[in-house]
Amino acid sequence: MKASRRAAFGASRSGSAPSASAAALRGTALALASALTVVSAALAVVTVRVARRVVMPAARAVDTRILGVDVAAQTVTLSRTPDTQLPGRYGLFTTGAADYLKIGSVLSSDAASVTRKLLTEVDGETQLTPDAAFSGWYYRTPDELHLPYTEVHVAAPIGPCPAWLFPAGSGPEGTADTWVIQIHGRGTTRSECLRAVPVFHALGLTSLVVSYRNDGDAPHTRTGSYALGATEWRDVDAAISWARHRGARRIVLMGWSMGGAIALQLALRSAHREMIAGLVLDSPVVDWRTVLEYQGRALRLPAPVTDLAIGTLSADWATPATRADEGIPFDRLDLVARSGELRHPILILHSDDDGFVPSTASHALAEARPDLVELQTFTTARHTKLWNYDQQRWTDAIDDWLRRHDLLPAEKSAL
């Protein structure tokens, strides 16, 4: 029996061994497969790291350096950044003999540094390490406001959440029937909100400054991760109930950054929606996808990595990798898309130079609901630093909005 001509041809050239070209192709294919595996694995690692960074609380990031302290002149020189060059009053987290300093106006600057007035006195024995974090807090503790207050605990679904109560009247819980409940942002605590308390107190409004799950003051969930407002609103809803049982009849929600996302969820989902009279939002997150895409570009991440991170965060199956308690419902957190569901008047204060949470979604929400949403835009001010940058304009904007919506006590409305 004769072998086929094809078989004989192949055997005559190389016997039973594959041809050199076939072997080369196979080697190339294996190399490409290995490379793709490595790239895919690397992409997965980067994606998970980005996703974790979004939901896991982290230590306060160092964002400037102390270059020098002049004890005689009571000044501090910092490395120049978009934040450290801002006019106004701020705070500075540092380590060493002092862990927090109040700083004032810019006295001089050059391309690399900024010298500012110290508002916290330091002496020659004060040794400070170079690493520091610039902050818009200014006030760190409620005692600094010199207003009556009490520490209270709200019975929330996560457990007892501490809060500061600043009564408007002389009684233990105040006499005002309109309360402001302030909600701080991601990666901060209640102290972020203290700047606004004197404004509301002067207008005759009681302030309740709350905490919520995983913020460092309130109890932790199983993983200790943020849900970006998707679950935190439940703890603040308990604070509304707490206020209701103590005389509140109308609630103004004030949210800072992610606190804005929480306030917006409350406006749609709270069991006490009929009590909510309006929202004041400072540098709010209105749509998380817009924020994460912006931050991805700022970090020079390829767009596919950011998209994959968002997709990973939204998937329940990925929670063991991301360390989230559950998938993040980005559609539910998109208040531009859900703008038609809003029923309460909203004042948004946002800087077009925010640098962290872009004002894009705030503009979009104002355009979608001009009947409810008033947007006051700032320039230069940066993220949650509008009060620091232009305290008078910030205060006047809130005062005017509250008056126009008849949210002040009668004796204050007439002033």
Side-chain angles (χ1 to χ4, degrees):
M1 182 175 179
K2 294 183 179 180
S4 70
R5 294 182 65 183
R6 185 173 182 178
F9 179 77
S12 67
R13 294 189 62 181
S14 56
S16 61
S19 68
S21 60
L25 286 172
R26 185 175 298 171
T28 300
L30 289 171
L32 284 171
S34 298
L36 286 171
T37 300
V38 170
V39 169
S40 297
L43 182 60
V45 169
V46 172
T47 298
V48 169
R49 284 181 178 173
V50 171
R52 285 181 182 174
R53 184 173 177 175
V54 173
V55 296
M56 295 305 298
R60 186 177 299 276
V62 171
D63 57 15
T64 187
R65 293 179 65 81
I66 297 175
L67 304 178
V69 175
D70 187 328
V71 175
Q74 290 293 290
T75 62
V76 60
T77 300
L78 306 172
S79 58
R80 186 180 182 121
T81 71
D83 287 301
T84 61
Q85 66 183 350
L86 291 172
R89 298 179 297 163
Y90 300 87
L92 189 70
F93 286 91
T94 185
T95 55
D99 59 0
Y100 187 77
L101 301 173
K102 291 179 180 178
I103 55 178
S105 58
V106 175
L107 302 177
S108 64
S109 64
D110 56 32
S113 66
V114 177
T115 298
R116 308 187 70 114
K117 183 66 179 176
L118 278 168
L119 302 179
T120 300
E121 186 176 355
V122 299
D123 56 33
E125 303 299 317
T126 304
Q127 298 296 318
L128 301 174
T129 58
D131 290 344
F134 196 80
S135 171
W137 281 18
Y138 192 69
Y139 300 110
R140 190 178 185 187
T141 68
D143 298 298
E144 297 171 44
L145 301 181
H146 304 291
L147 294 173
Y149 79 95
T150 54
E151 177 95 19
V152 301
H153 286 81
V154 172
I158 193 62
C161 294
W164 291 315
L165 176 65
F166 294 86
S170 57
E173 292 170 357
T175 57
D177 63 359
T178 302
W179 289 30
V180 178
I181 294 182
Q182 287 206 62
I183 314 161
H184 67 80
R186 178 186 177 281
T188 66
T189 66
R190 292 172 287 163
S191 295
E192 178 177 51
C193 307
L194 290 173
R195 288 165 284 179
V197 170
V199 175
F200 296 120
H201 187 270
L203 294 172
L205 303 180
T206 290
S207 290
L208 184 64
V209 184
V210 302
S211 61
Y212 52 80
R213 60 190 65 192
N214 303 320
D215 69 355
D217 287 341
H220 293 279
T221 60
R222 176 180 57 84
T223 64
S225 63
Y226 295 119
L228 307 185
T231 59
E232 291 88 349
W233 69 271
R234 298 189 181 102
D235 302 324
V236 186
D237 201 28
I240 298 177
S241 178
W242 188 93
R244 183 176 201 162
H245 285 90
R246 286 156 182 81
R249 295 295 174 263
R250 297 187 301 179
I251 299 293
V252 175
L253 297 171
M254 180 168 188
W256 303 72
S257 191
M258 189 178 90
I262 296 172
L264 288 165
Q265 289 299 300
L266 284 160
L268 298 183
R269 306 181 69 185
S270 171
H272 311 283
R273 286 191 300 278
E274 78 285 355
M275 287 187 64
I276 299 174
L279 289 73
V280 177
L281 309 179
D282 186 307
S283 313
V285 176
V286 176
D287 169 30
W288 273 106
R289 289 191 186 96
T290 302
V291 175
L292 297 179
E293 289 165 0
Y294 174 87
Q295 293 180 359
R297 290 191 296 271
L299 293 170
R300 298 182 178 178
L301 294 174
V305 172
T306 303
D307 293 341
L308 282 170
I310 293 172
T312 300
L313 282 169
S314 66
D316 287 331
W317 59 263
T319 56
T322 61
R323 299 177 185 169
D325 285 297
E326 57 188 49
I328 305 296
F330 287 103
D331 287 343
R332 192 190 307 161
L333 297 173
D334 182 352
L335 265 291
V336 176
R338 301 183 67 189
S339 61
E341 301 175 50
L342 293 170
R343 297 292 180 268
H344 306 95
I346 301 172
L347 172 64
I348 299 178
L349 307 166
H350 211 144
S351 174
D352 285 335
D353 301 310
D354 184 287
F356 190 76
V357 173
S359 62
T360 313
S362 291
H363 281 277
L365 184 59
E367 291 168 5
R369 292 302 304 268
D371 56 322
L372 290 180
V373 180
E374 177 181 330
L375 173 62
Q376 292 269 350
T377 57
F378 289 63
T379 57
T380 310
R382 308 288 291 174
H383 187 59
T384 66
K385 297 181 177 69
L386 284 67
W387 175 92
N388 312 77
Y389 175 74
D390 192 339
Q391 182 179 347
Q392 192 61 55
R393 183 191 165 191
W394 188 91
T395 300
D396 289 346
I398 294 175
D399 183 319
D400 178 63
W401 182 84
L402 290 169
R403 291 179 188 278
R404 284 189 284 109
H405 288 86
D406 195 24
L407 293 174
L408 297 182
E411 64 273 16
K412 297 292 183 179
S413 297
L415 297 178

